[in-house]
């Protein structure tokens, strides 16, 4: 069930009405859990069973860790949990990739090998809920959070349908306390929730799905298109991924608000970042903080010298790339960002020792230049993120970096430019404080009509065919 | 600071205004779509009409032979081939996907209202569309009511077995116009937001619309298509008899031609033998008798081409591929055109009724 479909609307309406009609807290939790299982099972019932079983195992292991007094036993239980979670993720998501890569390597050495192709179905959202489960068990191990005693509450933490399939990656210590609270209807939350849902619908339908119509043909056959078309498609792809994913996140936050839950913000206008380091603090915030807390810091972070710091950053970014997909392009994407973060850090250290340079960079033109360069780098690396193969990405880069003839984009360009402008305006006014103030100035009837018009126009301008959220495949 | 309550305002009031605003906007757009050009409600028809206008502008003195039909005719009737054989008429294929007598009547009336008066009309009648058993007639579900204006709906709903369903569907698509597929396509087309989504590939001899891809399907694909057709239409045709609503719709469509003094012919497009076998004998007799009755009321030319093309000329049970379309159109030009000329004369020298 995609969020922006009539089927989901009816589903959520039924859950919403039943949820607030039920006065008993535990029954409400049970209702949300049942609805979440139904939501996931609507894709594939067997995979819902898999998630249910693996989550239950993590629940039992966490309780075992907390109950155990033996450090050795605690460690072993932690390892079992990590092995099961990463094993399932590795098998379902990466096994075929590694087998194909191994086969290619063997062939390149002049040997023959025919390795099997595993018939696996990739569960939707597996990367998200696996990381949530890992963070929970690790937090319990280090005593940062208590093991949840109520299986239903824990399952709801993993399976809560607004964030189940594409995040944000929620921490148990943020979510589980909310489950204990008996929710009371709040018009404030409903206001916030509806505005977030509106924002999500606009980003997903009016922007992301529209941009996809320009992007898909070019990435399917890059050799057919001109350099200008490829550049436009790369920019469109960057904005499409942002609008699609942040739109989903907004929808998830809005739906959660309507049910009385608060999820963390996942994006903070990343294209206003003046450097890549800032970009990764504003983009997919929940993944970056997860990688910082559960990978970067355990590796030593920046505490063991400069080169260890850079090594750790490179490892984290490579894992971040690989998290997104089982392919060499994703690995190269991660490595590229890791290398650029290293370059940025070196440049920053150099400029910090030169006040004139520092002042120029922090001036308005300097800031704009840095934002433009950061955005350009992101656009260039999106090629790796989106291309179907390394060879295809090479063709795209060739057309971007050397003038090439070819077909223009297949649709009228004014629609594309208007979409670019829409995203730019959204970034400019999109800070919550700022947009709240602007919104608050309008009289209520005008706000109501604006809400209705924005929602209606987003629905009307969306391409007629439904398309899944990009991050569902992760 | 995260998302917070907007300062100084009742959130309850805000939420209620949001909901009201959404409803008001939907209704407003629904009214606008209703009052807007046909292109917004029915982009497929608008594109056909625009192409027809362009063709007529190229050859304003040529008499217009308009072909009204379903996807069978859209894919099977090559207007360029027939026009070359005739040598004089501008032959235009105005067929629409999923069309039956109700939509054909709507389209003809729209053209007449726009001042486009064909000199001759070929009306496709699909016997399957006249069938009814426990399953409602095909056009009751195939025709998207959102394509119709309120006036057109009122005229068309009388032919439905359950008119209330047509009204309910129409109200739903007007009330939720922003999610109605047809309206979205219409808005996109009118605003040129994207490439028109009903852009049908033009045949090399452009004198109308051709929908068929210019390839001959492989045998496996044809066999699969026939199997799908048998499964889809078998239950619809089993123990079926002539449906009153669609039969009246055909009669009224012919009535429009007569009242406008437009000569017409009725065409039964080729059908695969498997589809013909699915028609029960009683239903086939009903259809024959019904057509004979219509001819008795007004002796029109009936072109029964159901057996004109061999089974290997079809994509499935009733859509011709490019070779089958050529075979049918050549035979139409060779056999039907002389009969039509003989009955109705050449050019505009038609027998008036």
């Amino acid at each position: 069930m995609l969020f922006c479909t009539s089927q989901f609307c009816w589903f959520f309406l039924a859950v919403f009405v039943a949820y607030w009609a039920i006065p008993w807290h535990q029954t409400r939790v049970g209702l949300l859990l049942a609805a979440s299982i139904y939501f996931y099972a609507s894709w594939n019932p067997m995979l819902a069973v898999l998630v249910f079983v693996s989550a239950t195992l993590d629940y039992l292991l966490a309780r075992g860790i907390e109950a155990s007094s033996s450090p050795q036993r605690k460690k072993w239980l932690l390892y079992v949990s990590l092995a099961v979670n990463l094993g399932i993720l590795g098998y379902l998501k990466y096994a075929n990739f590694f087998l194909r890569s191994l086969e290619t390597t063997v062939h390149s050495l002049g040997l023959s090998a025919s390795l099997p192709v595993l018939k696996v179905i990739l569960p939707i959202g597996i990367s998200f809920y696996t990381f949530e489960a890992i963070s929970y068990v690790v937090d319990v191990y280090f005593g940062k959070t208590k093991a949840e005693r109520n299986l239903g509450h824990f399952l709801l933490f993993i399976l809560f349908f607004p964030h189940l399939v594409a995040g944000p990656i929620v921490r148990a210590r943020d979510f589980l306390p909310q489950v204990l609270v008996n929710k009371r209807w709040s018009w404030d939350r409903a206001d916030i929730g509806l505005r977030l849902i509106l924002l999500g619908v606009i980003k997903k339908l009016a922007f992301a799905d529209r941009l996809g119509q320009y992007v898909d043909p070019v990435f399917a056959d890059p050799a057919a298109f001109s350099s200008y078309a490829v550049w436009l498609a790369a920019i469109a792809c960057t904005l499409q991924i942002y609008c699609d994913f942040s739109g989903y996140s907004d929808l998830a936050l809005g739906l959660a608000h309507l049910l009385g839950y608060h999820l963390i913000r996942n994006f903070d206008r990343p294209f206003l970042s003046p450097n890549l380091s800032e970009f990764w603090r504003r983009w997919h915030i929940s993944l970056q903080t997860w990688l910082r807390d559960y990978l970067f810091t355990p590796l030593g972070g920046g505490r063991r010298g400069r080169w260890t710091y850079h090594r750790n950053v490179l490892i984290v970014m490579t894992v971040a790339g690989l998290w997104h997909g089982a392919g060499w392009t994703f690995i190269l994407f991660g490595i590229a960002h890791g290398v650029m973060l290293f370059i940025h850090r070196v440049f920053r250290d150099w400029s910090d020792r030169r006040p004139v340079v520092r002042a120029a960079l922090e001036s308005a033109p300097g800031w704009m230049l840095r934002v433009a360069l950061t955005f350009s780098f992101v656009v260039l690396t999106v090629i790796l993120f989106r291309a179907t193969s390394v060879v295809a990405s090479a063709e795209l880069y060739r057309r971007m970096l050397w003038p090439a003839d070819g077909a223009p984009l297949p649709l009228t360009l004014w629609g594309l430019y208007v979409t670019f402008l829409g995203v730019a305006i959204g970034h400019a006014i999109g800070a919550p404080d700022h947009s709240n103030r602007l919104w608050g100035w309008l009289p209520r009837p005008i706000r109501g009509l604006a809400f209705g018009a924005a929602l209606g126009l987003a629905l009307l301008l969306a391409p007629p065919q439904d398309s899944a959220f990009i991050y569902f495949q992760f | 600071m995260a998302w917070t309550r907007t300062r100084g305002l009742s959130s309850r009031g805000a939420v209620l205004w949001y909901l009201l605003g959404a409803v008001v906007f939907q209704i407003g757009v629904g009214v606008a779509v209703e009052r807007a050009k046909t292109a917004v409600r029915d982009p497929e028809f608008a594109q056909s009409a625009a192409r027809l206008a362009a063709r007529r502008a190229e050859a304003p003195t040529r008499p217009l032979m308009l072909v009204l039909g379903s996807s069978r005719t859209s894919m099977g009737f090559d207007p360029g081939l027939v026009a070359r054989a005739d040598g004089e008429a501008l032959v235009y294929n105005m067929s629409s996907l999923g069309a039956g007598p109700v939509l054909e009547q709507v389209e003809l009336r729209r053209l007449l209202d726009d001042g486009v008066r064909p000199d001759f009309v070929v009306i496709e009648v699909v016997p399957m569309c006249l069938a009814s058993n426990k399953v409602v007639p095909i056009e009751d579900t195939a025709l998207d009511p959102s394509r119709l204006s309120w006036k057109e709906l009122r005229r068309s709903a009388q032919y439905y077995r359950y008119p209330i369903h047509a009204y309910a569907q129409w109200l739903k698509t007007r009330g939720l116009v922003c999610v109605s597929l047809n309206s979205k396509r219409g808005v996109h087309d009118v605003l040129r937001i994207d490439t028109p989504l009903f852009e049908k590939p033009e045949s090399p001899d452009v004198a109308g619309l051709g929908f068929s891809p210019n390839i001959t399907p492989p045998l496996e694909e044809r066999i699969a298509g026939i199997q799908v057709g048998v499964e889809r239409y078998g239950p619809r045709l089993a123990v079926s008899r002539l449906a009153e609503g669609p039969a009246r719709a055909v009669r009224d469509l012919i009535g429009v031609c007569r009242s406008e003094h437009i000569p017409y012919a009725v065409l039964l497009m080729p059908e695969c033998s498997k589809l013909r076998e699915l028609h029960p004998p009683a239903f086939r007799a009903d259809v024959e008798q019904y057509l004979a009755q219509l001819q008795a009321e007004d002796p029109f030319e009936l072109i029964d081409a159901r057996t004109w093309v061999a089974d290997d000329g079809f994509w499935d049970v009733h859509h011709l591929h490019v070779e089958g379309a050529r075979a049918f159109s050549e035979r139409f030009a060779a056999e039907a055109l002389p009969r039509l000329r003989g009955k109705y004369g050449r050019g505009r020298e038609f027998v008036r009724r």
Side-chain angles (χ1 to χ4, degrees):
Chain A
M1 259 190 279
L2 300 176
F3 276 2
C4 296
T5 58
S6 57
Q7 186 189 7
F8 179 81
C9 289
W10 287 116
F11 162 78
F12 182 76
L13 188 63
V15 172
F16 177 79
V17 168
Y19 181 80
W20 290 110
I22 294 171
W24 309 290
H25 172 59
Q26 286 303 325
T27 312
R28 280 184 182 172
V29 171
L31 170 70
L32 282 186
L33 182 58
S36 300
I37 293 170
Y38 175 81
F39 175 79
Y40 199 80
S42 67
W43 267 290
N44 188 315
M46 291 313 299
L47 295 176
V49 171
L50 175 67
V51 177
F52 187 93
V53 167
S54 70
T56 304
L57 185 63
D58 287 316
Y59 161 83
L60 293 170
L61 288 170
R63 289 202 63 183
I65 289 172
E66 188 173 75
S68 172
S69 54
S70 157
Q72 187 73 6
R73 183 173 153 81
K74 280 178 187 286
K75 192 175 277 189
W76 275 110
L77 289 174
L78 173 65
Y79 287 162
V80 167
S81 173
L82 290 175
V84 168
N85 280 307
L86 293 174
I88 293 173
L89 179 64
Y91 176 74
L92 294 176
K93 191 168 175 179
Y94 298 105
N96 274 327
F97 164 62
F98 285 122
L99 286 172
R100 293 283 73 75
S101 301
L102 185 61
E103 194 173 314
T104 306
T105 308
V106 166
H107 285 157
S108 66
L109 295 173
L111 303 168
S112 69
S114 179
L115 296 172
V117 174
L118 302 175
K119 286 192 173 72
V120 292
I121 302 172
L122 182 64
I124 286 188
I126 185 172
S127 302
F128 292 91
Y129 65 73
T130 299
F131 273 29
E132 282 172 357
I134 290 174
S135 74
Y136 168 71
V137 179
V138 170
D139 281 353
V140 169
Y141 175 79
F142 283 110
K144 289 183 184 171
T145 193
K146 298 199 99 31
E148 176 57 53
R149 297 206 175 286
N150 186 312
L151 175 61
H153 290 190
F154 178 74
L155 289 174
L156 184 63
F157 157 60
I158 296 290
L159 293 167
F160 186 49
F161 69 87
H163 79 79
L164 173 60
V165 292
I169 300 172
V170 173
R171 305 291 180 94
R173 57 178 179 262
D174 296 327
F175 188 88
L176 285 172
Q178 296 186 64
V179 182
L180 295 173
V181 175
N182 191 12
K183 309 285 183 291
R184 293 179 63 182
W185 174 255
S186 162
W187 287 106
D188 283 349
R189 291 198 94 132
D191 181 8
I192 295 167
L194 286 174
R195 281 189 281 143
L196 282 165
I197 288 171
L198 173 66
L199 195 58
V201 168
I202 291 172
K203 282 182 182 174
K204 168 60 178 164
L205 296 184
F207 291 159
D209 286 356
R210 175 150 307 289
L211 289 167
Q213 297 181 106
Y214 296 90
V215 169
D216 293 343
V218 174
F219 279 81
D221 185 14
F225 293 91
S226 68
S227 295
Y228 185 57
V230 172
W231 266 106
L232 285 181
I235 296 171
C237 185
T238 307
L239 299 183
Q240 179 200 9
I241 293 172
Y242 166 69
C243 291
D244 192 281
F245 193 16
S246 68
Y248 175 88
S249 294
D250 290 331
L251 283 166
L253 265 64
L255 293 169
H257 266 297
L258 289 178
L259 295 171
Y261 287 82
H262 175 258
L263 303 177
I264 62 165
R265 259 181 98 198
N266 221 6
F267 291 85
D268 184 13
R269 298 167 302 145
F271 299 133
L272 292 180
S273 305
N275 56 66
L276 202 61
S277 184
E278 176 88 3
F279 175 84
W280 283 108
R281 282 196 289 277
R282 291 169 175 251
W283 176 282
H284 203 172
I285 296 167
S286 64
L287 175 66
Q288 293 314 309
T289 52
W290 191 100
L291 289 171
R292 179 197 65 203
D293 293 343
Y294 299 102
L295 185 60
F296 182 71
T297 302
L299 285 173
R303 298 189 303 273
R304 297 183 191 157
R306 178 185 295 182
W307 292 108
T308 309
Y309 166 81
H310 291 308
R311 180 207 68 183
N312 293 340
V313 167
L314 191 60
I315 291 172
V316 166
M317 292 314 299
T318 307
V319 168
L322 194 57
W323 178 90
H324 284 89
W328 285 109
T329 52
F330 292 104
I331 294 174
L332 290 171
F333 169 84
I335 291 173
H337 276 260
V339 168
M340 185 49 77
L341 283 168
F342 164 73
I343 294 172
H344 165 250
R345 185 65 181 254
V346 168
F347 177 78
R348 199 186 76 184
D349 292 342
W350 176 85
S351 67
D352 280 349
R353 294 193 294 271
R354 288 156 179 80
V356 173
V357 173
R358 191 87 221 136
L361 289 172
E362 284 172 6
S363 66
W367 180 85
M368 287 190 331
L369 176 66
R370 288 189 290 148
V371 167
L373 287 173
T374 304
F375 181 75
S376 302
F377 177 78
V378 171
V379 169
L380 283 170
T381 50
V382 151
I383 298 292
L384 292 167
F385 190 89
R386 176 66 173 81
T388 52
S389 67
V390 175
V391 170
S393 59
E395 177 63 31
L396 285 156
Y397 281 130
R398 193 178 71 75
R399 287 181 172 266
M400 288 174 86
L401 300 172
W402 281 274
D405 290 330
L409 285 179
L411 303 174
T412 50
L413 283 184
W414 80 266
L416 181 66
Y417 297 145
V418 166
T419 309
F420 285 175
L421 186 63
V423 178
I425 291 172
H427 258 55
I429 65 171
D433 293 348
H434 193 189
S435 57
N436 270 342
R437 269 199 304 276
L438 283 173
W439 193 247
W441 281 336
L442 296 170
R444 257 180 287 176
I446 302 294
R447 270 192 284 137
L449 202 56
F451 181 95
L455 181 64
L457 285 172
L459 293 170
L460 202 55
L461 293 175
Q465 58 280 357
D466 295 329
S467 55
F469 288 92
I470 294 171
Y471 266 68
F472 275 17
Q473 63 189 304
F474 307 141
Chain B
M1 200 154 103
W3 284 81
T4 57
R5 177 183 173 171
T6 49
R7 197 159 33 135
L9 292 165
S10 161
S11 294
R12 178 172 66 175
V15 168
L16 294 175
W17 275 108
Y18 296 158
L19 298 175
L20 184 63
V23 168
V24 165
F25 185 80
Q26 289 282 320
I27 292 174
V29 173
V31 169
V33 164
E34 180 59 22
R35 298 183 98 105
K37 297 191 296 187
T38 307
V40 176
R41 288 189 298 280
D42 195 348
E44 188 185 352
F45 170 81
Q47 284 179 34
S48 292
R51 283 210 177 97
L52 171 61
R55 299 292 167 267
R56 292 182 76 215
E58 288 163 8
T61 58
R62 287 168 71 184
L64 172 63
M65 174 187 281
L66 187 74
V67 180
L68 293 171
S70 66
S71 54
R72 296 179 173 194
T73 316
S74 179
M75 290 173 70
F77 191 104
D78 185 342
L81 195 156
V82 172
R84 279 197 304 279
D86 182 75
E88 187 178 0
L90 168 63
V91 182
Y92 193 80
N93 190 342
M94 189 90 190
S95 304
S96 298
L97 308 182
V102 177
L103 186 57
E104 288 172 27
Q105 191 189 141
V106 166
E107 289 177 340
L108 180 60
R109 286 183 184 275
R110 282 177 181 167
L111 288 174
L112 292 169
D113 289 344
D114 285 344
V116 177
R117 190 182 176 285
D119 297 286
F120 194 89
V121 175
V122 176
I123 298 169
E124 185 207 351
V125 171
V126 180
M128 218 161 43
C129 282
L130 302 177
S132 167
N133 46 23
K134 286 184 194 159
V135 183
V136 295
I138 289 178
E139 209 175 6
D140 284 24
T141 50
L143 174 55
D144 180 358
S146 70
R147 299 172 75 166
L148 310 176
S149 66
W150 172 247
K151 188 173 147 195
E152 288 167 346
L153 176 71
R154 287 186 61 189
R155 188 181 289 131
S156 305
Q158 59 173 307
Y159 304 119
Y160 283 60
R161 184 188 292 180
Y162 303 115
I164 189 79
H165 289 174
Y167 285 112
Q169 184 66 14
W170 186 91
L171 274 173
K172 183 180 150 193
T173 51
R174 283 290 182 273
L176 294 173
V177 68
C178 294
V179 295
S180 159
L181 211 59
N182 210 49
S183 300
K184 279 164 65 138
R185 284 172 169 159
V187 168
H188 291 189
D189 203 27
V190 165
L191 297 179
R192 306 293 296 174
I193 292 174
D194 305 315
T195 306
L197 294 164
F198 285 101
E199 189 76 51
K200 296 184 187 178
E202 304 212 8
S203 61
D205 316 289
V206 175
L209 297 169
F211 192 64
S212 181
N214 196 13
I215 56 168
T216 305
L219 178 64
E220 315 80 65
E221 215 173 301
R222 279 190 272 132
I223 291 173
I226 288 171
Q227 185 57 34
V228 166
V230 167
E231 285 165 12
R232 182 180 295 163
Y233 299 120
R236 196 173 274 286
L237 288 167
V239 290
S240 56
R241 300 306 295 261
L242 196 75
E244 186 269 333
R248 192 154 40 87
V250 172
R251 179 175 267 113
D252 289 350
L253 171 57
I254 288 173
V256 172
C257 293
R258 288 168 59 193
S259 65
E260 294 289 329
H261 304 291
I262 300 173
Y264 62 93
V266 170
L267 168 65
L268 304 178
M269 284 292 287
E271 292 175 349
C272 175
S273 61
K274 283 277 185 222
L275 182 61
R276 295 200 300 273
E277 285 164 18
L278 288 177
H279 290 62
F283 175 67
R284 266 187 266 143
D286 284 348
V287 172
E288 303 299 331
Q289 186 183 10
Y290 168 71
L291 291 172
Q293 266 174 8
L294 290 178
Q295 282 185 299
E297 290 163 17
D298 182 28
F300 57 83
E301 192 64 38
L302 174 65
I303 306 160
D304 187 350
R306 285 178 287 185
T307 56
W308 281 15
V309 179
D311 286 357
D312 60 6
F314 291 87
W315 277 98
D316 49 33
V317 289
H318 57 166
H319 292 109
L320 296 166
H321 59 63
V322 65
E323 293 297 330
R326 187 174 302 132
F328 161 74
S329 303
E330 283 172 352
R331 189 163 169 181
F332 182 93
E335 292 183 21
L337 263 188
R339 281 157 47 193
L340 295 176
R341 277 194 227 110
K343 192 176 179 96
Y344 300 112
R346 295 190 68 88
R348 292 200 167 88
E349 300 160 5
F350 291 123
V351 176
R352 297 272 168 179
R353 294 283 180 277

